Amino acid sequence: MDHHHHPQHHHHHQYDGGENDYMQQEDDWDRDMLLDPAWEKQQRKTFTAWCNSHLRKAGTQIENIEEDFRDGLKLMLLLEVISGERLAKPERGKMRVHKISNVNKALGFIASKGVKLVSIGAEEIVDGNAKMTLGMIWTIILRFAIQDISVEETSAKEGLLLWCQRKTAPYKNVNIQNFHISWKDGLGFCALIHRHRPELIDYNKLRKDDPMTNLNTAFDVAEKYLDIPKMLDAEDIVGTARPDEKAIMTYVSSFYHAFSGAQKAETAANRICKVLAVNQENEQLMEDYEKLASDLLEWIRRTIPWLENRVPENTMQAMQQKLEDFRDYRRLHKPPKVQEKCQLEINFNTLQTKLRLSNRPAFMPSEGKMVSDISNSWGRLEGAEKGYEEWLLNEIRRLERLDHLAEKFRQKAAIHEAWTDGKEEMLQHKDFETASLSEIKALLKKHEAFESDLAAHQDRVEQIAAIAQELNELEYYDSPSVNARCQRICDQWDSLGVLTQKRSEALQRTEKLLETIDQLYLEFAKRAAPFNNWMEGAMEDLQDTFIVHTIEEIQGLSTAHEQFKATLPEADKERQAILGIHNEIAKIVQTYHVNMAGQNPYTTINPQEINAKWDKVRQLVPQRDQALIEEHARQQNNERLRRQFANQANVIGPWIQTKMEEIGRISIEMHGTLEDQLTHLRQYEKSIVNYKPKIDQLEGDHQLIQEALIFDNKHTNYTMEHIRVGWEQLLTTIARTINEIENQILTRDAKGISQEQMNEFRASFNHFDRKRTGMMDAEDFRACLISMGYNMGEAEFARIMSIVDPNRLGVVTFQAFIDFMSRETADTDTADQVMASFKVLAGDKNYILADELRRELPPDQAEYCIARMTPYSGPDSVPGALDYMSFSTALYGESDL
């Protein structure tokens, strides 16, 4: 034995369990013991109690662990009790050597149980080395109390820990993870007891926070009822941070051994059950085999006819369904059966092996259910299956080809039918009958395009026929309907060809006719337009209203009209020719049944219009003749009226002129006295009045001329207006001249102007009447005044003008001239003279009194003055004083010159 494996101060003891390493690298003894005296105390107590629990079976015990094993005797006895084997006889001597020998025998026995003792020497035990002694006892506990524990796959320390965990698993407040602090609250120990002997502890009353009670309860109950001595101290456990692992393991192993007795009975019962179970299981396996074999054979028997059925389906879909079913069979139904067959063989072999191993006779399946029978049936199934799949695939390929062809046929047929749809109606359409030439040309283009389109579709028709043929050869189930459809397509194709040809011919024929008609239309339009214009011009001219004033004018119109009438036969010929063109068109239309669309595109003029206008021209010609004749007669009558008026007017006009001149001379030449002149003028007046009927007659003729709307007369320069004005001037002049002479007589008598003075005034006036109008204008008058020695400025001249021309006409009459001249020359009363006369009556006062006026003047004159005089307002005024000065001024309307 190697007692000094490590340096002396590092005394390791190790227990190596060889193949069964239940405790690799046990914690360092130095660290465990030397550093914590509490642990040494706990181990000492626990190990002592454990040793005594075994030694008492031999009727002895120890008091002090490191003393009582020194001689090796009780050590050997302990090992015999524990192992149930006899050791070599101990030596009874009291000498050290005897003790060492006994201890070595014990150590040798331990080593013989496969334990390597490291660093534990007999000398130290004999010397009472506590640490070594405890180490040795722990080695014994490990080997004899713990090593053989086996729970599930684990053993020794792990086995014990697992056993504790298993047993305490139902207790929620217990969690065993190790052999130190997991046990501190005492509930672990209580749970182990309660699990095996629930009647011994009222577990529900225990509290986690009262470890002393829990620990003591467990220790007491274990000692009293389970014959497990107290190996631990509650105070030590509670008082230590981490209780000693070895002490706890030792104590817990006692529980394991106490309760494992119960397992033994269980194991015996298990063995009986096991034997029975083997028989029951074998019988069950035989039954299962029979059932499985029957089911499998029955399934194969049902399946083979289905796989041998080779009746094909018509449609791809149905065949594919078959293939789908077959695939399902392969994928879903067969694999479980393969599995069953395999299982059956396995079960059979397993059963035979089990029977052989348990010394039972071999199994014989019933008739026809041998493994070989099943294999044969299965082979037949596989054969049927192989042929079936090949057949299915070939059949599907055939149907696929057929389906493909049929689909191709349907597609091509559908495309073709869609294309031909409406084509026959289109080809039979009579649209060309109502088309214009340009539309026909468009239709022809469209038709040519259609013909090339038709040719392009020939290929497809041939393909359709070829596909139908192939479907027949491959015995397609729906061939009759394919053939019928193909026939329809071919028949329609032939029909389209015929219709296309027909339409082509009809279009070309129509085009030729329409081109001919178009030419005629164009010619018609070219000739109808100028002819129509000519007729419209003629109609306009024939209806043209004319206003003529002379016979020459009307004769000019008549000549032109005659020339126009001469062109009519030629025009009629042109009209016939134009209508001829139109009739030619009508003939073509009727012969070829061309349905004419619309009107002539080149003109809007039609034959009806031409004829209507021609008739209108023919109708207007005689109307024009009539109008010209009537106008001619009217012009002759007008000429007669003109001459009649002119003959009289040419006499009356000069007569009035002469009379005017004579009257003027009388008033200017002043032959004899004013009275002589007056007598002379009155004779003139009489002769003028007697001339009136001639004027009236002329008025009558003028009335006729106006009614005939004659506005000019080349036979005379006198118009009625001239004559009237002349006549009225004559009447006015004679009356005025007579009046002037009468006024001159009044003036002469009032102013006492002599005949000589009068003649002088007249001579002066006549001299300055430069325009010989019987009046002077302002310039003439100014020249006259200057010649008489007046010298005056503008203001003075304006004042004189306001006297001689009070109405501001800008002229001075002879009468006004005489008044002015006589005022300038005669001794006429003036405002000043009147004022002086009043002053005399008033006795030199500046005012006059009413009484004075009444006294001096006749009554009505006096009252006239009193009524018109204003009160006098001078500084020398008295009540009733009247102002005669302003009155005098007012009488003359102005101050004296």
Side-chain angles (χ1 to χ4, degrees):
M1 274 203 146
D2 176 7
H3 300 314
H4 302 285
H5 188 72
H6 292 291
Q8 210 50 80
H9 64 275
H10 233 245
H11 298 300
H12 276 286
H13 90 78
Q14 282 181 346
Y15 159 51
D16 181 353
E19 59 175 2
N20 203 350
D21 289 352
Y22 51 87
M23 287 198 77
Q24 280 117 356
Q25 293 301 311
E26 191 47 57
D27 291 342
D28 190 318
W29 202 257
D30 296 344
R31 193 183 65 230
D32 285 354
M33 297 303 294
L34 298 180
L35 301 185
D36 194 343
W39 282 5
E40 188 178 341
K41 182 185 166 207
Q42 282 176 24
Q43 283 185 9
R44 194 189 293 275
K45 171 164 180 158
T46 302
F47 291 180
T48 304
W50 183 80
C51 291
N52 284 339
S53 73
H54 290 288
L55 285 173
R56 72 183 176 195
K57 292 174 192 167
T60 180
Q61 60 175 38
I62 57 168
E63 297 302 327
N64 183 320
I65 201 160
E66 72 265 37
E67 286 298 324
D68 295 358
F69 285 136
R70 283 175 68 181
D71 60 7
L73 291 175
K74 281 191 177 169
L75 183 56
M76 289 174 78
L77 183 60
L78 176 66
L79 289 171
E80 282 185 346
V81 173
I82 294 169
S83 65
E85 295 178 29
R86 302 291 300 190
L87 269 70
K89 263 182 88 72
E91 296 189 18
R92 295 289 176 194
K94 295 273 187 253
M95 292 171 65
R96 179 178 167 83
V97 69
H98 296 137
K99 294 177 183 175
I100 288 173
S101 169
N102 285 341
V103 171
N104 269 328
K105 281 180 183 149
L107 293 176
F109 179 78
I110 296 170
S112 77
K113 292 297 177 192
V115 179
K116 287 188 192 136
L117 288 165
V118 182
S119 310
I120 297 176
E123 289 87 345
E124 283 99 335
I125 304 296
V126 173
D127 292 343
N129 180 327
K131 181 170 167 249
M132 280 298 166
T133 307
L134 288 174
M136 180 189 66
I137 296 300
W138 174 238
T139 303
I140 293 167
I141 293 170
L142 265 182
R143 171 62 186 82
F144 294 101
I146 294 172
Q147 184 187 333
D148 293 335
I149 293 172
S150 168
V151 176
E152 290 172 22
E153 299 303 309
T154 60
S155 58
K157 181 181 178 180
E158 280 76 23
L160 184 60
L161 185 63
L162 184 60
W163 179 77
C164 293
Q165 288 170 341
R166 287 277 181 276
K167 295 298 179 185
T168 60
Y171 301 87
K172 291 286 170 277
N173 51 3
V174 175
N175 181 13
I176 304 298
Q177 293 300 331
N178 50 49
F179 286 114
H180 35 80
I181 57 178
S182 290
W183 301 86
K184 274 186 75 165
D185 59 12
L187 287 176
F189 297 113
C190 293
L192 279 179
I193 297 168
H194 186 264
R195 178 70 192 272
H196 293 90
R197 300 281 300 275
E199 77 280 1
L200 296 180
I201 289 182
D202 185 353
Y203 189 84
N204 291 329
K205 282 218 174 89
L206 303 173
R207 294 203 336 271
K208 202 171 179 66
D209 58 5
D210 186 4
M212 288 299 289
T213 304
N214 298 342
L215 289 165
N216 284 322
T217 301
F219 297 164
D220 293 346
V221 168
E223 187 174 37
K224 190 172 176 190
Y225 297 105
L226 303 175
D227 200 22
I228 298 171
K230 278 189 189 173
M231 300 185 189
L232 301 169
D233 233 327
E235 288 84 357
D236 292 348
I237 290 173
V238 173
T240 320
R242 176 173 154 152
D244 179 58
E245 191 175 38
K246 297 183 177 67
I248 298 222
M249 269 175 79
T250 303
Y251 186 49
V252 170
S253 71
S254 304
F255 279 93
Y256 175 80
H257 291 296
F259 291 131
S260 67
Q263 310 285 121
K264 297 220 173 33
E266 227 175 283
T267 309
N270 283 349
R271 172 166 288 118
I272 294 164
C273 291
K274 215 166 160 189
V275 173
L276 293 177
V278 167
N279 267 22
Q280 283 171 317
E281 190 187 356
N282 290 345
E283 282 166 23
Q284 189 59 49
L285 284 172
M286 290 173 197
E287 257 177 67
D288 289 352
Y289 176 86
E290 289 281 330
K291 173 92 175 71
L292 213 50
S294 300
D295 290 355
L296 189 56
L297 287 166
E298 174 57 24
W299 177 80
I300 293 171
R301 192 184 61 69
R302 276 202 322 275
T303 309
I304 288 176
W306 174 67
L307 291 171
E308 285 173 341
N309 174 16
R310 298 284 192 278
V311 181
E313 298 287 344
N314 272 342
T315 65
M316 181 72 171
Q317 210 181 352
M319 280 313 280
Q320 256 163 344
Q321 188 52 52
K322 277 198 163 178
L323 184 60
E324 201 50 50
D325 293 346
F326 180 67
R327 297 263 157 86
D328 278 351
Y329 155 78
R330 287 285 281 268
R331 197 171 61 246
L332 305 173
H333 307 310
K334 191 180 169 193
K337 299 300 174 189
V338 175
Q339 195 66 44
E340 279 174 34
K341 177 174 171 288
C342 181
Q343 195 59 49
L344 197 67
E345 288 163 8
I346 290 170
N347 287 3
F348 184 77
N349 293 337
T350 307
L351 177 58
Q352 300 295 32
T353 306
K354 283 188 168 179
L355 289 172
R356 206 166 49 250
L357 290 175
S358 57
N359 301 316
R360 308 282 203 293
F363 167 57
M364 260 309 277
S366 52
E367 187 65 42
K369 293 182 189 168
M370 302 290 285
V371 172
S372 58
D373 296 330
I374 289 166
S375 283
N376 294 338
S377 289
W378 191 263
R380 282 204 305 286
L381 178 78
E382 301 263 62
E385 188 184 300
K386 187 174 187 316
Y388 189 64
E389 187 170 25
E390 276 171 35
W391 172 76
L392 268 180
L393 290 171
N394 286 334
E395 203 42 47
I396 282 173
R397 274 196 282 277
R398 184 179 75 86
L399 281 178
E400 209 168 25
R401 171 82 182 131
L402 277 174
D403 266 8
H404 172 68
L405 281 173
E407 183 52 34
K408 199 159 158 187
F409 175 82
R410 278 194 291 275
Q411 269 184 347
K412 286 192 183 293
I415 291 169
H416 183 75
E417 285 160 352
W419 180 80
T420 57
D421 184 41
K423 295 284 189 284
E424 284 166 300
E425 291 86 320
M426 189 259 306
L427 291 170
Q428 287 163 315
H429 196 25
K430 297 272 189 281
D431 48 3
F432 55 82
E433 291 183 349
T434 58
S436 65
L437 182 57
S438 62
E439 286 167 344
I440 281 286
K441 289 192 187 298
L443 286 174
L444 268 164
K445 286 251 181 342
K446 201 168 159 192
H447 189 67
E448 279 167 33
F450 173 74
E451 284 177 324
S452 54
D453 198 7
L454 190 69
H457 283 264
Q458 176 73 34
D459 264 6
R460 190 187 293 118
V461 177
E462 287 167 9
Q463 283 170 5
I464 288 170
I467 295 170
Q469 182 56 35
E470 194 176 348
L471 284 169
N472 283 326
E473 287 162 8
L474 288 170
E475 297 172 12
Y476 182 50
Y477 78 97
D478 201 14
S479 276
S481 76
V482 167
N483 294 341
R485 191 168 181 183
C486 183
Q487 192 57 50
R488 275 202 306 280
I489 287 171
C490 292
D491 292 349
Q492 189 193 29
W493 185 252
D494 297 340
S495 153
L496 284 176
V498 173
L499 289 172
T500 299
Q501 189 52 38
K502 275 193 187 156
R503 180 167 171 86
S504 193
E505 288 160 10
L507 285 172
Q508 285 163 356
R509 188 171 63 248
T510 308
E511 184 187 27
K512 284 208 176 54
L513 288 174
L514 287 184
E515 275 173 343
T516 310
I517 289 171
D518 192 64
Q519 281 308 112
L520 292 168
Y521 267 155
L522 189 56
E523 199 182 333
F524 177 89
K526 279 181 179 162
R527 290 174 70 173
F531 184 65
N532 186 53
N533 289 344
W534 175 82
M535 285 196 297
E536 284 177 349
M539 275 155 56
E540 194 180 334
D541 292 347
L542 289 170
Q543 290 174 94
D544 194 16
T545 52
F546 46 78
I547 298 175
V548 290
H549 301 296
T550 67
I551 298 237
E552 293 76 46
E553 284 174 17
I554 193 68
Q555 279 165 344
L557 285 175
S558 299
T559 310
H561 184 57
E562 289 308 317
Q563 285 168 355
F564 168 74
K565 284 201 285 192
T567 65
L568 286 174
E570 200 50 51
D572 196 25
K573 242 188 256 165
E574 177 64 10
R575 180 180 69 87
Q576 300 288 357
I578 291 169
L579 294 177
I581 297 171
H582 194 270
N583 293 338
E584 209 175 325
I585 294 171
K587 213 180 318 169
I588 292 173
V589 168
Q590 207 156 16
T591 314
Y592 296 103
H593 303 296
V594 183
N595 189 345
M596 282 314 299
Q599 303 296 318
N600 185 332
Y602 304 111
T603 181
T604 53
I605 303 165
N606 57 39
Q608 292 76 5
E609 205 179 324
I610 289 174
N611 282 336
K613 286 182 183 173
W614 178 253
D615 292 346
K616 182 76 173 155
V617 169
R618 296 260 306 279
Q619 188 188 339
L620 287 170
V621 168
Q623 286 174 12
R624 182 73 166 184
D625 289 342
Q626 187 58 36
L628 288 169
I629 290 164
E630 284 168 10
E631 185 58 35
H632 197 267
R634 196 163 70 80
Q635 285 305 327
Q636 281 176 316
N637 188 42
N638 286 356
E639 190 59 21
R640 192 175 49 70
L641 287 173
R642 282 195 191 95
R643 285 179 192 282
Q644 196 176 316
F645 177 86
N647 291 341
Q648 294 177 71
N650 287 342
V651 173
I652 293 170
W655 184 84
I656 291 173
Q657 200 71 31
T658 312
K659 284 283 171 277
M660 286 289 281
E661 284 164 12
E662 287 174 356
I663 292 165
R665 271 201 302 282
I666 289 173
S667 65
I668 288 165
E669 286 170 4
M670 297 179 291
H671 288 303
T673 64
L674 290 172
E675 279 80 4
D676 295 344
Q677 289 176 26
L678 196 57
T679 310
H680 204 157
L681 284 169
R682 288 201 197 285
Q683 285 170 344
Y684 263 103
E685 189 177 25
K686 197 169 179 198
S687 77
I688 287 167
V689 172
N690 291 341
Y691 202 76
K692 177 83 166 71
K694 281 197 167 55
I695 301 288
D696 291 344
Q697 192 186 347
L698 190 64
E699 280 282 10
D701 287 350
H702 179 252
Q703 184 70 28
L704 291 174
I705 278 179
Q706 273 195 319
E707 281 163 9
L709 298 176
I710 301 165
F711 300 115
D712 58 334
N713 193 340
K714 64 181 179 182
H715 304 301
T716 180
N717 290 330
Y718 293 104
T719 64
M720 193 65 224
E721 216 33 55
H722 285 134
I723 302 280
R724 277 193 204 122
V725 169
W727 178 249
E728 278 160 14
Q729 261 182 338
L730 185 59
L731 290 178
T732 312
T733 305
I734 190 76
R736 199 180 63 230
T737 309
I738 289 171
N739 179 252
E740 275 177 12
I741 299 289
E742 284 172 347
N743 279 346
Q744 283 171 28
I745 292 170
L746 280 174
T747 305
R748 183 194 65 190
D749 294 352
K751 304 277 179 81
I753 300 169
S754 67
Q755 186 65 43
E756 286 71 34
Q757 265 176 315
M758 198 53 122
N759 289 353
E760 223 174 281
F761 290 157
R762 186 84 234 190
S764 248
F765 184 86
N766 287 351
H767 177 72
F768 283 101
D769 173 15
R770 297 192 180 136
K771 298 189 181 61
R772 295 284 172 267
T773 56
M775 289 180 273
M776 284 192 274
D777 62 22
E779 287 311 305
D780 292 341
F781 182 50
R782 185 195 291 259
C784 177
L785 288 180
I786 289 166
S787 75
M788 291 167 137
Y790 279 88
N791 187 8
M792 66 217 141
E794 277 305 318
E796 178 63 8
F797 180 62
R799 192 185 67 77
I800 294 170
M801 272 308 279
S802 72
I803 294 166
V804 294
D805 177 18
N807 295 329
R808 303 231 166 93
L809 298 173
V811 290
V812 180
T813 60
F814 183 56
Q815 184 63 48
F817 181 67
I818 295 171
D819 285 351
F820 176 74
M821 291 312 291
S822 60
R823 182 186 288 181
E824 289 296 300
T825 55
D827 175 23
T828 320
D829 299 325
T830 66
D832 290 345
Q833 290 166 334
V834 174
M835 225 181 279
S837 304
F838 272 120
K839 200 169 181 146
V840 171
L841 294 184
D844 267 356
K845 292 195 299 294
N846 285 335
Y847 58 85
I848 195 163
L849 298 170
D851 291 349
E852 289 171 334
L853 286 168
R854 287 194 185 101
R855 192 171 65 238
E856 301 292 344
L857 294 174
D860 56 340
Q861 309 268 303
E863 293 309 323
Y864 181 87
C865 291
I866 292 163
R868 281 165 180 74
M869 282 184 183
T870 56
Y872 175 68
S873 58
D876 47 352
S877 174
V878 298
L882 295 170
D883 182 352
Y884 60 78
M885 291 186 193
S886 52
F887 173 73
S888 305
T889 311
L891 281 178
Y892 285 91
E894 58 226 306
S895 316
D896 193 21
L897 278 169

